[in-house]
Amino acid sequence: MKDHLSKAEIRKDAVQGAVEATATTIGEVTTILTRAVRDVAGALGGLATEVFELRDAARRASQASDDPAEELPEG
């Protein structure tokens, strides 16, 4: 007995393959985008930390320069 696939079954298999390939590709792209968003968020968080540290250092330096006890006597 010889197996014979109907045109409808061939079309169904082609559509199924296309849907599976599309789903796989969408999953891969979603993973790439998720990692990219995570990396950008991490970089921005690092930048924010640096800005806060610089702001605090500038504030401490400003307070130290305004403190008369910190000034050296002339002469």
Side-chain angles (χ1 to χ4, degrees), residues 2-73:
K2 196 173 187 185
D3 286 337
H4 180 45
L5 297 176
S6 69
K7 289 182 182 184
E9 190 167 357
I10 292 169
R11 279 190 228 114
K12 187 267 317 172
D13 289 345
V15 170
Q16 180 180 346
V19 170
E20 289 173 357
T22 301
T24 299
T25 301
I26 290 171
E28 291 171 355
V29 169
T30 300
T31 299
I32 291 166
L33 292 174
T34 300
R35 287 182 183 152
V37 169
R38 182 192 65 205
D39 291 347
V40 168
L44 292 175
L47 174 62
T49 298
E50 290 292 325
V51 168
F52 290 135
E53 289 174 358
L54 287 169
R55 183 187 65 185
D56 290 344
R59 185 182 303 133
R60 286 192 302 273
S62 178
Q63 289 172 350
S65 69
D66 292 342
D67 188 355
E70 294 288 324
E71 294 181 19
L72 296 174

